[in-house]
Amino acid sequence: MLSNLKIWIKLPLVMVLTGLIALYLAEFIASSNARTALLEAGGQRLKAVAESRAAEVQAEFVSLNADIEAKYNNPVILDAVRAFVANWDEGTQRPSRSFGDVPDPRESPGRGEPGRANEELMTGPHDPGLDAFYDYFATRQIAREYGDVYIIAPNGRVVFSVEKRGTFGQNLRSDPFAGTGLARAFERGLRDVSGDVGLMTDFMPYGPEAGEMSAFVSIGIRNDAGKVEGVLVIRLRAARISTIMARREGLGETGLAAVLGADVTIGGAPEDADFAGQAAVGGPGDLLLDGLDGQGGIWRHGNETVGFRLTAVVPIRIGAFRYVVLAQQEEAEILAPALRLRTETLRDGLWALAFVSVLGVFLARSISIPLSAVEHAMTQIAARDYEQDIPARDRGDEIGDIARRLDMFRASLLEADTTARENAFKSAAFQASSAAMMLVDRNMTIIYVNARLIDLMTKHRIALGRSIPGFHPDGLIGRDLGHLVPGTARLREDLETADQYREDLHYGQARLRLDAAAVVSSSDALLGYVVEWQDVTENRSARILLDAVDGRLPIAGFSPDGRLIDANELFCTWTGLSRSSLAGRGWADLLATEGDTDGASWGRILLSDKERVALRVAPRTRNHARLRCLLFRVPGENGRPPQYILVATKWPVTTAADPPVTTICASESQHP
């Protein structure tokens, strides 16, 4: 797809795509690293929060134990217990004397039934001694933020309460108080003989106090004889722990801290929060149960639907009970800085990409414009406009290199075009030449022939075909010159010492003259040869006849029936007979034709109906060497029969001007 786009579009697009990939990879790596770092830091922070809250809760109970131990060892407590137990009149089911202030129910609405305690129980006169004890316990309650302080007689009657609410004056062994946390704490304090200070019940909702989550710590107050004279019980409110857990330090906006028991949430978590069954991702199967088993740590839990949370779990032990301090925060809030970083990175990256895109467009234009100009120049050159000026040749970059190479190419094409036009002109002239010509490369391979040469070869096709196996006038190009001319090595050697070479070639009856000239380049390198062919057959025959007339060659005339009509002196000398004895003698009696075994050569000559026949003959009248001869058919005039003239083509007398002769085939009889 990119291959079909222009550079000014492609380059910015590639830059933007590369930038987007780099931005994505950078954002992915940065986000992954930030996510890992934030989760690790968030887990450690939540763990520190959980450990801090756990330390505060444990400090509260350590302080509580210290306060209870101080009360246990304080003689005033025994006196207070004895006084309040003695003050209760079981007959009237009320105190004999009243003590302390009666609380206004409007100060704490919805908690128990304070009205009945105020109006019905506290009717007796005030006892200053009991007021002193009351003030002591009330002061401790306020200072320690206890829910209430109770003194319970051994029979289960609540004879003292700082708050004087619904529990005051009730018997814990009767319904609805039997089985409550307060009743269990009383029974434990009454029966305990171990001497432990601060026997505690687990936190649970306490009905008489509007279901407020409460725990109770009891102390059996014994006399010197070890007899329990009463039980001091302190009600602990979960609100105190909730106050500690409700602080937002280290928890962000979505975090929470809580103290959890096996089946109860003490403080810090919403009432509908359910931590049981929360499975950690890659961790324990149940955060609460594993925490109560003493397995603390930092866990990631949740799913894609409800979201993931990071939770730090710190197990603690308070008295005989195991609890878990849990600090939890939504993962999305923990990773919010990474999301902001990602958003900022993408925003800044997109701005950078926009800048890069604009820069890429300018850069691409700086490349595409000169390239387009070079491309236009290439189009003009392709249209054979070699005079076109090539732009951008002065640039120092690759475009300049391309432009300079293109200019060199243009110059080469211009030179080649000029040469081609010249060659075309020369070729046209060569083709239109009346001379039969061919071009031969330096390896003597024929590379070009003109029409006149084809006509010449076609004219003598039969004679050339008999002399040259496989000859055809139209199959010359690509053949070696040696196919036509024996001894091309001699031709090459002669041309090395002379500018031209000439040789007459005999192909049966055909006589062709070859004129060859070497063609060299401007650096004197051999390019090939120009070969001109001339048909000298008629010229040679005429020359022979002239020589015969001049008495230079033997000559004799015969009638159509083969009878000798006349002969010259050289013919008489050759046959050894006089003119008178030669007259009228027949061809078969006088001459022996080479290859004639039956004496019928004259008949075959007449049947050939040729104007000229090449023969090798010898006289039958004497032992004399055979002569190469030509037998010419001369038409008769005025209706007379033709005559046949036998002329020897070679006689001991030769002319110095004659060129060398190569005979391809001596007679037609060799190729019947």
Side-chain angles (χ1 to χ4, degrees):
M1 181 182 70
L2 290 178
S3 61
N4 297 325
L5 297 177
K6 297 293 186 180
I7 287 181
W8 72 272
I9 298 176
K10 185 188 305 183
L11 184 59
L13 181 60
V14 170
M15 294 175 67
V16 170
L17 290 177
T18 303
L20 284 175
I21 293 173
L23 178 62
Y24 172 77
L25 292 177
E27 184 275 329
F28 177 78
I29 294 173
S31 296
S32 298
N33 293 337
R35 176 188 176 88
T36 301
L38 287 172
L39 288 177
E40 182 177 356
Q44 294 299 323
R45 173 174 50 78
L46 290 175
K47 181 180 178 182
V49 170
E51 289 175 345
S52 174
R53 301 293 197 274
E56 290 188 59
V57 171
Q58 288 181 315
E60 282 291 320
F61 283 95
V62 168
S63 176
L64 172 63
N65 285 336
D67 186 50
I68 292 175
E69 186 174 359
K71 287 181 172 58
Y72 180 77
N73 295 320
N74 190 346
V76 175
I77 300 300
L78 180 58
D79 293 339
V81 170
R82 288 173 176 172
F84 284 111
V85 170
N87 185 50
W88 187 266
D89 185 353
E90 284 294 333
T92 62
Q93 295 292 309
R94 65 184 61 214
S96 299
R97 291 166 292 177
S98 61
F99 52 85
D101 296 330
V102 178
D104 186 351
R106 292 175 298 179
E107 295 179 359
S108 54
R111 295 178 55 189
E113 300 176 355
R116 186 176 66 86
N118 295 337
E119 297 176 2
E120 297 180 4
L121 296 182
M122 305 301 292
T123 58
H126 271 275
D127 185 334
L130 294 179
D131 282 343
F133 289 130
Y134 175 85
D135 292 340
Y136 172 78
F137 287 117
T139 301
R140 302 302 296 174
Q141 180 212 11
I142 295 172
R144 302 295 303 178
E145 297 185 8
Y146 297 147
D148 205 345
V149 178
Y150 307 99
I151 294 177
I152 305 170
N155 62 358
R157 181 72 62 185
V158 180
V159 297
F160 174 80
S161 169
V162 173
E163 294 289 331
K164 300 186 183 72
R165 298 191 182 277
T167 307
F168 178 53
Q170 304 298 321
N171 193 310
L172 300 181
R173 290 176 175 172
S174 302
D175 291 333
F177 298 97
T180 62
L182 178 59
R184 290 199 305 272
F186 160 70
E187 295 295 343
R188 291 183 61 183
L190 183 65
R191 295 188 177 91
D192 182 67
V193 294
S194 64
D196 290 339
V197 177
L199 299 174
M200 179 178 171
T201 65
D202 199 359
F203 281 91
M204 64 179 56
Y206 183 54
E209 291 294 337
E212 183 180 17
M213 193 67 65
S214 302
F216 298 90
V217 179
S218 60
I219 308 169
I221 306 301
R222 302 174 183 274
N223 56 25
D224 294 338
K227 180 182 178 181
V228 176
E229 296 194 15
V231 178
L232 178 66
V233 179
I234 299 175
R235 183 169 70 87
L236 304 178
R237 299 170 58 193
R240 173 61 179 165
I241 298 176
S242 297
T243 301
I244 296 174
M245 296 297 149
R247 295 204 307 271
R248 306 304 305 167
E249 295 90 340
L251 295 175
E253 296 181 0
T254 63
L256 60 87
V259 178
L260 307 178
D263 55 2
V264 66
T265 300
I266 299 176
E271 294 182 359
D272 58 349
D274 182 13
F275 295 95
Q278 288 191 357
V281 177
D286 191 296
L287 297 176
L288 179 57
L289 295 179
D290 291 324
L292 292 175
D293 286 340
Q295 183 177 352
I298 304 170
W299 314 112
R300 179 175 180 259
H301 60 91
N303 53 56
E304 297 291 344
T305 303
V306 301
F308 290 93
R309 284 177 170 269
L310 204 62
T311 301
V313 176
V314 176
I316 62 173
R317 190 179 186 92
I318 300 175
F321 302 100
R322 293 176 182 236
Y323 296 97
V324 169
V325 177
L326 175 147
Q328 187 178 89
Q329 189 177 7
E330 290 185 3
E331 186 179 274
E333 184 181 9
I334 297 174
L335 297 179
L339 181 60
R340 288 195 298 272
L341 175 63
R342 178 181 182 181
T343 303
E344 293 173 359
T345 301
L346 289 176
R347 181 195 62 202
D348 296 341
L350 290 176
W351 278 111
L353 281 177
F355 175 75
V356 169
S357 300
V358 174
L359 183 63
V361 169
F362 282 106
L363 179 61
R365 296 288 291 174
S366 68
I367 297 175
S368 63
I369 290 177
L371 273 181
S372 297
V374 172
E375 186 232 351
H376 177 72
M378 293 175 68
T379 303
Q380 295 299 107
I381 291 174
R384 307 179 68 87
D385 181 8
Y386 303 130
E387 301 297 335
Q388 172 73 27
D389 184 51
I390 306 301
R393 289 176 298 169
D394 55 343
R395 292 176 64 105
D397 55 7
E398 289 80 357
I399 297 177
D401 294 338
I402 294 174
R404 287 186 287 274
R405 299 298 184 276
L406 180 61
D407 189 57
M408 295 170 60
F409 183 59
R410 178 199 61 80
S412 299
L413 288 177
L414 178 60
E415 181 180 357
D417 185 66
T418 302
T419 303
R421 286 198 300 269
E422 293 176 355
N423 290 340
F425 176 77
K426 293 177 181 178
S427 176
F430 185 75
Q431 185 67 29
S433 173
S434 60
M437 303 181 71
M438 68 169 49
L439 296 179
V440 182
D441 65 14
R442 59 185 179 182
N443 296 319
M444 293 295 176
T445 301
I446 300 172
I447 60 175
Y448 181 78
V449 296
N450 68 353
R452 184 68 183 88
L453 179 64
I454 298 296
D455 293 341
L456 176 62
M457 295 297 175
T458 302
K459 176 181 178 182
H460 298 289
R461 178 173 58 84
I462 296 176
L464 289 170
R466 290 174 176 174
S467 303
I468 303 171
F471 171 80
H472 195 279
D474 296 329
L476 296 177
I477 295 178
R479 302 293 294 268
D480 191 272
L481 184 61
H483 179 65
L484 299 176
V485 182
T488 54
R490 186 179 76 250
L491 183 150
R492 188 193 303 269
E493 293 173 359
D494 291 345
L495 284 175
E496 289 179 355
T497 58
D499 293 337
Q500 291 184 340
Y501 174 83
R502 170 174 289 185
E503 181 178 2
D504 284 349
L505 303 173
H506 292 183
Y507 301 94
Q509 299 176 6
R511 299 292 187 271
L512 302 179
R513 176 169 294 172
L514 178 149
D515 287 298
V519 179
V520 297
S521 65
S522 58
S523 59
D524 292 332
L526 178 63
L527 300 178
Y529 305 93
V530 176
V531 180
E532 180 181 355
W533 295 78
Q534 298 181 34
D535 186 359
V536 296
T537 303
E538 301 295 337
N539 295 340
R540 183 67 176 168
S541 299
R543 178 73 176 273
I544 291 171
L545 291 175
L546 290 175
D547 288 344
V549 172
D550 293 339
R552 299 181 61 180
L553 292 174
I555 185 172
F558 292 86
S559 64
D561 58 0
R563 299 285 178 181
L564 190 142
I565 300 174
D566 196 4
N568 67 357
E569 292 296 330
L570 291 179
F571 189 83
C572 294
T573 302
W574 176 57
T575 59
L577 298 175
S578 63
R579 283 181 129 179
S580 59
S581 60
L582 287 173
R585 298 192 63 164
W587 177 276
D589 295 335
L590 185 61
L591 299 173
T593 305
E594 185 177 52
D596 183 13
T597 58
D598 55 3
S601 61
W602 182 257
R604 284 193 290 271
I605 292 173
L606 294 180
L607 290 175
S608 66
D609 197 27
K610 293 182 178 180
E611 298 290 335
R612 178 176 64 250
V613 180
L615 303 170
R616 288 176 65 88
V617 297
R620 293 183 182 274
T621 56
R622 58 179 297 189
N623 186 13
H624 199 284
R626 293 181 182 274
L627 285 181
R628 295 175 181 175
C629 301
L630 289 176
L631 181 64
F632 294 94
R633 181 176 180 272
V634 180
E637 297 180 356
N638 300 321
R640 293 181 179 180
Q643 292 186 1
Y644 293 88
I645 307 299
L646 179 67
V647 181
T649 61
K650 189 174 183 180
W651 187 249
V653 180
T654 60
T655 303
D658 288 344
V661 176
T662 298
T663 302
I664 307 303
C665 182
S667 69
E668 294 178 353
S669 62
Q670 293 178 340
H671 301 279

